């Protein structure tokens, strides 16, 4: 069973940076696609970024391209989300998620396809 534990959220002013971490455990084959999702109050959960751990390929939502970077540390079973140039509209609960996936499917960032989820970490960006 895959388990995910996020950390690194907090409060920051617009233009600032935060790095989220997600420590993963469980069968490696069940988490070859890792993703970050976020949900703001009153909004649907959005797929922010995904990474296919086999190749390191990454995909991003248009709203965060050029500002956010997803990366992995295979030795420590950890995936990161570096968030730069943060905006108030980035305020949300951020969740780490994992699934078994093909390369193509990992690129879709479809929430429904992810089976394992972390508890979430809050990110608040003030103007």
């Amino acid at each position: 069973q895959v388990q995910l534990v996020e950390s690194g959220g907090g409060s920051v002013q617009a233009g600032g940076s935060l790095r989220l971490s997600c420590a993963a455990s469980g069968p490696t084959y069940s988490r070859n696609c890792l993703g970050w999702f976020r949900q703001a109050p009153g909004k649907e959960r959005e797929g922010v970024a995904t990474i296919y751990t086999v190749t390191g390929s990454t995909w991003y939502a248009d709203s965060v391209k050029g500002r956010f970077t997803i990366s992995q540390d295979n030795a420590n079973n950890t995936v990161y989300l570096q968030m730069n140039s943060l905006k108030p509209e980035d305020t949300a609960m951020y969740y780490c998620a994992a699934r078994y996936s093909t390369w193509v499917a990992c690129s879709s960032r479809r929430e429904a396809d992810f089976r394992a989820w972390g508890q979430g970490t809050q990110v608040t960006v003030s103007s």
Side-chain angles (χ1 to χ4, degrees):
Q1 183 178 356
V2 175
Q3 292 188 324
L4 304 167
V5 180
E6 303 101 332
S7 60
S11 297
V12 65
Q13 289 192 326
S17 298
L18 283 173
R19 188 177 79 158
L20 306 183
S21 300
C22 174
S25 61
T28 304
Y29 72 90
S30 297
R31 46 184 171 90
N32 67 346
C33 177
L34 294 168
W36 286 98
F37 293 75
R38 67 184 181 186
Q39 188 167 23
K43 294 188 177 181
E44 293 186 353
R45 189 144 48 178
E46 172 191 22
V48 174
T50 52
I51 183 166
Y52 189 60
T53 63
V54 178
T55 62
S57 300
T58 58
W59 298 272
Y60 298 91
D62 288 342
S63 58
V64 306
K65 277 181 183 176
R67 300 188 298 122
F68 290 12
T69 302
I70 187 171
S71 62
Q72 60 180 344
D73 179 349
N74 290 335
N76 292 305
N77 294 311
T78 301
V79 63
Y80 302 99
L81 185 68
Q82 178 67 44
M83 305 185 294
N84 298 329
S85 301
L86 282 161
K87 304 176 181 180
E89 51 263 43
D90 294 318
T91 295
M93 184 71 78
Y94 283 71
Y95 299 89
C96 179
R99 62 167 291 188
Y100 169 77
S101 174
T102 62
W103 185 92
V104 171
C106 193
S107 69
S108 70
R109 302 192 316 278
R110 275 171 30 100
E111 174 189 354
D113 295 331
F114 285 78
R115 293 291 178 262
W117 293 83
Q119 81 286 353
T121 185
Q122 178 67 39
V123 171
T124 302
V125 184
S126 59
S127 58

